Amino acid sequence: MKATEIPERMSSRGRRLTRQRVLVAEALASAKRALSAQELYERIKTSHPTLGRATVYRALEAQVQDGMASRFERDGHVSAYIACDAEHHHHLVCTRCQRVLDLDETVVAPLLSSVGRRHEFQVDHAALDFYGLCRRCRRKRP
Amino acid sequence: MKATEIPERMSSRGRRLTRQRVLVAEALASAKRALSAQELYERIKTSHPTLGRATVYRALEAQVQDGMASRFERDGHVSAYIACDAEHHHHLVCTRCQRVLDLDETVVAPLLSSVGRRHEFQVDHAALDFYGLCRRCRRKRP
DNA sequence: GCTCTCATGAGATTGGGTCTCAACCTAGGG
DNA sequence: CCCTAGGTTGAGACCCAATCTCATGAGAGC
C-alpha cells in the first residue's frame, strides 16, 4: 500500500484518523518483512516515546479488520503482521529469514471451490498461510 | 493411533516409558478433536491429581518430535495438539453458527506441493482456515 | 468553538508456556 | 535381584505476549 493512500483507507470505515494509527500503518507499510506488534511498538517508540503498547495492538487489529493488514503466527506463539493490498491475502512465510511472499492467488480459487464441493460448505473467504523455507534460505541450508 | 501401540512407539526412540507420557498419549489418541495442553492437563488431572503442567507440555513436545502428534494454532494464540493419524489440522468455520468442521486433508497435500513448486518454496506446514456457511445454515436462509 | 464520542497511555492483570531443581524412577548391567 | 546412571517428574517461580481499566486527550460534525 502506498503511504499516500493510508489516510483515506483509514477514515473510510468511520474510524478516526489519529496520529498513532497513521504511524502504525506507515511503519507496517514500509517494513520489508513481517513484524510483531512488539517490534512495531519499539520501532515507532524511538521517534514517538509516548506511544502506548495497547495502542499498537488496537491499531493493528483495526487494520486487519479493514483489510489493510493481515496477521499470522510466527515461531508458534507470536503474532506477526504485514501490510497487504486487496489482491494478496495469503502468504508464504519463511521461517528462517522472516520474509513474506505473496501467494499466487490463481492457486487459491480452485482450492476454494473444491473444498466447498467436498464438504458442502459455502466458502466466503479463507486464511491461508504456508510456512517453510524460501528459495534463498533453501540454498544456504546448513 | 491404537492404544496398544503407544508403548512401543514411545520407547522406540530411546525415550523412557513413563506412566505420565502414556497417559498423555492415550488421552490425546482418544480425543475426538484437537486439544490444548491445558485441556489435556485438566482431563488427566481428574484421575491423576499429581500430574504436573510442565510434564504435559514436555510429553506433547516429545510426541510431536516423534511424529506421534502434531501441533497447530487455534484462535490465533493457543497451541492445540492432535494425534497424528487423525487428520484434523485445518478447519471450516461457519460464520453463522460458529460450528467448526474438519477439512478433509486429502485436499491439502496436492495444494502444498503445487504451492511449493510454483513459488520455489519448501513448505513445511500450513495454516488453512476457511470461513463461510455450513450445509445446515446454508439450507435455512441466504 | 462546543460537544459527543471514540482513542490513547500507563500500568496492572491475565494466561499460555518455560525454567529450575531436588526427588524420583526407568532401563540396563552386573 | 540389586545397583547405578541419567533421564523424568512435580511444584511453583518466572517470562512475556496480549488484554483490560480508566482517567485523560483529541478527531469530527455541528
Side-chain angles (χ1 to χ4, degrees):
Chain A
M1 162 168 330
K2 295 177 188 67
T4 52
E5 20 173 319
I6 289 176
E8 62 180 288
R9 276 289 282 279
M10 293 193 67
S11 52
S12 64
R13 285 240 191 153
R15 267 185 225 292
R16 291 186 183 168
L17 188 62
T18 67
R19 174 156 194 68
Q20 292 87 341
R21 286 189 181 159
V22 173
L23 285 170
V24 172
E26 285 177 350
L28 193 59
S30 67
K32 295 285 183 297
R33 61 180 181 85
L35 296 175
S36 68
Q38 183 65 28
E39 288 169 331
L40 278 164
Y41 170 65
E42 285 163 5
R43 286 188 178 201
I44 304 171
K45 187 121 184 162
T46 58
S47 53
H48 297 80
T50 64
L51 182 73
R53 196 180 299 109
T55 300
V56 175
Y57 282 98
R58 285 182 292 229
L60 287 170
E61 179 57 31
Q63 282 194 57
V64 170
Q65 279 180 17
D66 295 354
M68 295 171 62
S70 64
R71 165 170 53 198
F72 53 88
E73 297 305 309
R74 196 170 76 187
D75 306 330
H77 59 284
V78 181
S79 285
Y81 298 82
I82 192 160
C84 64
D85 54 44
E87 307 304 316
H88 294 106
H89 284 177
H90 308 298
H91 304 103
L92 301 166
V93 184
C94 180
T95 51
R96 182 167 302 161
C97 72
Q98 307 299 326
R99 221 156 47 104
V100 177
L101 308 173
D102 288 322
L103 175 61
D104 181 350
E105 299 292 314
T106 62
V107 181
V108 177
L111 175 70
L112 297 193
S113 61
S114 80
V115 165
R117 244 181 292 115
R118 186 181 294 255
H119 295 274
E120 295 186 72
F121 190 92
Q122 178 186 322
V123 179
D124 287 334
H125 64 283
L128 313 181
D129 294 310
F130 299 83
Y131 300 87
L133 294 179
C134 69
R135 190 181 44 184
R136 241 189 281 169
C137 290
R138 225 164 115 194
R139 285 184 186 151
K140 293 177 192 166
R141 190 86 207 172
Chain B
M1 163 167 332
K2 295 179 189 64
T4 50
E5 22 174 317
I6 289 177
E8 63 181 284
R9 276 289 283 279
M10 294 193 65
S11 52
S12 64
R13 293 237 314 201
R15 266 185 225 292
R16 292 189 182 168
L17 188 61
T18 66
R19 173 153 195 66
Q20 292 86 339
R21 286 190 180 156
V22 174
L23 285 170
V24 172
E26 285 177 349
L28 192 59
S30 66
K32 295 285 184 297
R33 61 180 180 85
L35 296 174
S36 68
Q38 183 66 29
E39 287 168 332
L40 278 164
Y41 171 64
E42 286 162 5
R43 285 189 179 202
I44 304 171
K45 186 120 184 165
T46 58
S47 53
H48 298 80
T50 66
L51 183 73
R53 255 175 3 116
T55 301
V56 174
Y57 282 97
R58 286 182 292 228
L60 287 170
E61 180 57 29
Q63 281 193 57
V64 170
Q65 277 180 18
D66 295 355
M68 296 172 62
S70 66
R71 166 171 51 198
F72 59 92
E73 297 304 310
R74 198 169 71 186
D75 307 330
H77 306 104
V78 182
S79 285
Y81 298 82
I82 194 154
C84 242
D85 294 349
E87 311 197 325
H88 302 156
H89 300 231
H90 308 295
H91 304 100
L92 303 165
V93 183
C94 180
T95 50
R96 184 168 298 163
C97 71
Q98 305 302 324
R99 219 154 50 106
V100 177
L101 308 172
D102 295 317
L103 175 62
D104 179 352
E105 299 292 315
T106 61
V107 181
V108 177
L111 175 71
L112 297 193
S113 61
S114 81
V115 164
R117 242 181 293 117
R118 184 181 295 254
H119 295 273
E120 295 186 73
F121 190 93
Q122 178 186 324
V123 179
D124 287 335
H125 63 283
L128 312 181
D129 292 308
F130 298 82
Y131 301 88
L133 294 180
C134 68
R135 188 180 46 185
R136 243 189 279 170
C137 290
R138 223 163 117 197
R139 281 185 189 151
K140 285 183 198 159
R141 236 173 14 90

